[in-house]
Amino acid sequence: MTLKRENYPVKKVILALASLVVLIAAQTAAAELGSLALLCTHLPALGNGVAGALYPAFALVGLWALCRFGMKEPLSAYRLGPVRLKAVWCAAAALMPALVCGVFLLLPGEWAEAAERTDTASILAVGVLYLGIGTGIVEEAVFRGFIMTALERRWGRSAAVLLPSILFGALHIMGNELDVLSMVQLVAAGTMVGVLFSLVALETGSVWNGALIHGVWNCVLMSILYIGPEANPGALFSYIPVSDNFLLTGGAFGIEASAVSIAAYAMFAGLALWLLWKQAPGRESQ
């Protein structure tokens, strides 16, 4: 989907940024109700499952209301139309974490288990429902749906790809105690993966393929196979590399900010850029 620059009002850009408020509100409400479910049932998996299921549900309702009463446009105007997935990006969703994990597993390291590990059902509830489906859908709807589309309609495609990606990377600093080098590397990695998701949204015309890639990545790297300096009780398996090179390991944030991950983001962003180039007017006839 290609959008032409138009006389898109700054007011709507501000409203698009308000989608971040919807994200925070949905996340908070889902977490509170998940905690309530846990309190009532004493079943951690159920509490995590409730939070994971309600997070995208609350967010999509909030975004619909923002479109309906603020933007005065349908959700489809912000790349939130019917779910349609492309085979190439379904394959990329599996290949990207597999490649990154494969590289690290070839490096010297050891498997480890946390002293007190979360139960498997809870790990899967968090990994699949919250970090996977919930976070993948909501963050892509906000950053590549609302914010990117609004910026593209106001200032053009270059600003739309770059600015939300930098914001996406910078926001990951919040809640993490990082040194300066780790912050710089994290913003670089977050920006690069944001560019990837942005290009996928441009190539496919919707946020859904990026949400799939985002969700599978989160699920695998945070809940299935955690690779970092110490065992993670919230993951099924933990692998501890021997290297302490922050460029390789991602510094204090972890391997999602590593040079290996950045290279993977760049590789798949290049694929998206090539597919976009093929869609350019006149390419079909060449």
Side-chain angles (χ1 to χ4, degrees):
M1 180 173 73
T2 301
L3 298 179
K4 294 181 179 179
R5 290 183 64 175
E6 57 186 80
N7 189 24
Y8 189 79
V10 174
K11 176 184 176 182
K12 282 194 173 183
V13 175
I14 295 171
L15 283 172
L17 290 172
S19 61
L20 288 167
V21 177
V22 174
L23 182 156
I24 295 169
Q27 193 176 69
T28 302
E32 290 297 325
L33 289 173
S35 297
L36 180 61
L38 171 61
L39 183 64
C40 294
T41 65
H42 302 287
L43 297 173
L46 179 61
N48 292 334
V50 167
L54 291 180
Y55 179 28
F58 286 163
L60 288 174
V61 170
L63 294 174
W64 171 84
L66 184 60
C67 265
R68 175 70 175 82
F69 302 108
M71 303 293 197
K72 309 293 185 183
E73 294 180 280
L75 278 172
S76 57
Y78 293 87
R79 295 185 167 96
L80 281 162
V83 178
R84 295 189 179 92
L85 301 176
K86 295 184 68 171
V88 63
W89 298 120
C90 291
L95 280 173
M96 193 164 77
L99 287 171
V100 171
C101 289
V103 169
F104 276 96
L105 292 179
L106 290 174
L107 298 175
E110 60 180 13
W111 296 95
E113 186 168 338
E116 295 183 8
R117 205 194 72 170
T118 308
D119 67 274
T120 300
S122 294
I123 291 172
L124 292 176
V126 171
V128 175
L129 293 176
Y130 193 89
L131 296 173
I133 296 173
T135 301
I137 289 175
V138 178
E139 291 189 358
E140 291 311 302
V142 168
F143 285 94
R144 263 60 68 173
F146 275 72
I147 297 175
M148 188 180 83
T149 302
L151 292 178
E152 184 181 6
R153 291 167 70 177
R154 176 69 188 184
W155 289 296
R157 180 169 286 188
S158 297
V161 170
L162 189 57
L163 295 180
S165 299
I166 295 172
L167 176 63
F168 182 72
L171 286 177
H172 280 76
I173 294 175
M174 297 175 62
N176 292 289
E177 295 183 3
L178 306 174
D179 56 45
V180 174
L181 287 177
S182 294
M183 286 184 186
V184 171
Q185 189 166 340
L186 173 57
V187 172
T191 299
M192 189 68 251
V193 77
V195 168
L196 163 61
F197 294 144
S198 298
L199 292 174
V200 171
L202 289 173
E203 194 275 325
T204 60
S206 79
V207 304
W208 301 115
N209 290 272
L212 175 65
I213 299 170
H214 193 158
V216 172
W217 174 268
N218 282 358
C219 182
V220 173
L221 270 295
M222 295 182 187
S223 294
I224 305 300
L225 175 57
Y226 175 80
I227 300 174
E230 58 185 27
N232 181 0
L236 294 179
F237 306 99
S238 294
Y239 186 76
I240 304 174
V242 171
S243 175
D244 58 358
N245 185 314
F246 78 93
L247 286 174
L248 179 63
T249 62
F253 189 79
I255 69 162
E256 291 180 275
S258 69
V260 175
S261 295
I262 292 173
Y265 306 150
M267 181 176 70
F268 285 99
L271 173 61
L273 196 60
W274 178 71
L275 292 173
L276 269 172
W277 177 80
K278 288 184 64 178
Q279 291 178 8
R283 295 295 176 195
E284 295 81 357
S285 60
Q286 292 182 8

